[in-house]
Amino acid sequence: MELEIRKIVTIQEETFIEGFKKAKNPVRIAAALAVIKNPYAGRYVEDLLPLIKTYSEKLGEILPKKAMESLGITGEEVEAYGKGALIGLDGEIEHGSAIIHTLTFGNPFRKLCGNAETLLPSAEKRGSAGSTLDLAIKHKMDAKIRSHHMTFEVRIPDAPRNDEIIIAAVVTTSGRAHPRIGSLHKELEGVFPS
């Protein structure tokens, strides 16, 4: 099987005002999305290992780098991250899951983000060209830090075609602009936000 990427799209945003209040620092988020050929579109295939071997490791390296480059940051500056797959209508959600839910995808991603430790949160669904995907984001070192729980909506107008998959990686330099609900650590200790 050959790696076939039709295009890579990078989407970024910087939020300066949230909830009618200026952010102390802009919330900077970027996602890189690869539109790839789905060799299993339109048929059932039991063994997904060739798909994993072709795409997982390569995209686990390419996409986080592209997202970080678009923000002009290093992996040490990434505070939170996530991943996703949007599968064209002739594919199975399992095809996208096979690519992103592997250590060959996750380990390079975590290493690029300063040896991050948490599992990458994910979103997977099937959809037509132009469908949106809400990428889940969590803190890269501690999943209980609620300030970094958020989503980032992405879409590509002409993808995925029925025989394609979009694989996405998202990174951010901070959590939400004005977090004030407290961490799960505190709540587990019986301390609630005031």
Side-chain angles (χ1 to χ4, degrees), residues 3 21 51 97 117 147 184:
L3 180 75
K21 181 180 175 183
L51 183 70
S97 295
E117 295 179 1
S147 58
L184 182 55

Side-chain angles (χ1 to χ4, degrees), residues 50-79:
L51 183 70
I52 294 166
K53 286 185 173 182
T54 301
Y55 287 111
S56 288
E57 185 174 4
K58 291 175 185 84
L59 295 179
E61 292 175 359
I62 292 169
L63 297 178
K65 281 182 187 174
K66 291 273 188 191
M68 287 184 269
E69 286 170 5
S70 77
L71 293 176
I73 62 170
T74 67
E76 297 299 326
E77 294 171 283
V78 170
E79 288 192 13

Side-chain angles (χ1 to χ4, degrees), residues 12-69:
Q12 70 175 60
E13 76 175 27
E14 294 181 87
T15 301
F16 301 97
I17 298 171
E18 174 67 28
F20 310 100
K21 181 180 175 183
K22 186 175 180 179
K24 182 178 177 183
N25 296 303
V27 177
R28 303 178 70 224
I29 302 175
L33 299 84
V35 180
I36 63 171
K37 182 76 170 173
N38 182 354
Y40 301 146
R43 61 194 174 107
Y44 180 84
V45 175
E46 184 67 32
D47 183 9
L48 300 181
L49 191 57
L51 183 70
I52 294 166
K53 286 185 173 182
T54 301
Y55 287 111
S56 288
E57 185 174 4
K58 291 175 185 84
L59 295 179
E61 292 175 359
I62 292 169
L63 297 178
K65 281 182 187 174
K66 291 273 188 191
M68 287 184 269
E69 286 170 5

Side-chain angles (χ1 to χ4, degrees), residues 161-181:
R161 294 175 180 162
N162 288 348
D163 64 347
E164 292 179 330
I165 302 171
I166 296 173
I167 300 295
V170 60
V171 298
T172 178
T173 59
S174 69
R176 299 184 307 277
H178 312 297
R180 50 199 188 273
I181 61 169

Side-chain angles (χ1 to χ4, degrees), residues 48-176:
L48 300 181
L49 191 57
L51 183 70
I52 294 166
K53 286 185 173 182
T54 301
Y55 287 111
S56 288
E57 185 174 4
K58 291 175 185 84
L59 295 179
E61 292 175 359
I62 292 169
L63 297 178
K65 281 182 187 174
K66 291 273 188 191
M68 287 184 269
E69 286 170 5
S70 77
L71 293 176
I73 62 170
T74 67
E76 297 299 326
E77 294 171 283
V78 170
E79 288 192 13
Y81 55 19
K83 63 186 177 184
L86 179 58
I87 298 87
L89 295 178
D90 287 343
E92 289 181 63
I93 293 174
E94 190 72 6
H95 298 156
S97 295
I99 295 169
I100 65 172
H101 290 302
T102 63
L103 292 176
T104 54
F105 183 89
N107 284 347
F109 195 157
R110 281 185 284 275
K111 184 176 181 182
L112 286 165
C113 292
N115 295 313
E117 295 179 1
T118 59
L119 292 174
L120 287 148
S122 66
E124 306 104 272
K125 73 177 191 180
R126 184 175 26 250
S128 57
S131 293
T132 60
L133 184 63
D134 290 345
L135 298 172
I137 300 170
K138 288 193 178 182
H139 196 279
K140 72 177 188 179
M141 300 304 277
D142 186 346
K144 292 179 181 173
I145 298 176
R146 288 183 175 143
S147 58
H148 290 61
H149 289 18
M150 52 188 164
T151 57
F152 187 57
E153 183 180 308
V154 296
R155 79 181 275 278
I156 300 174
D158 70 341
R161 294 175 180 162
N162 288 348
D163 64 347
E164 292 179 330
I165 302 171
I166 296 173
I167 300 295
V170 60
V171 298
T172 178
T173 59
S174 69
R176 299 184 307 277

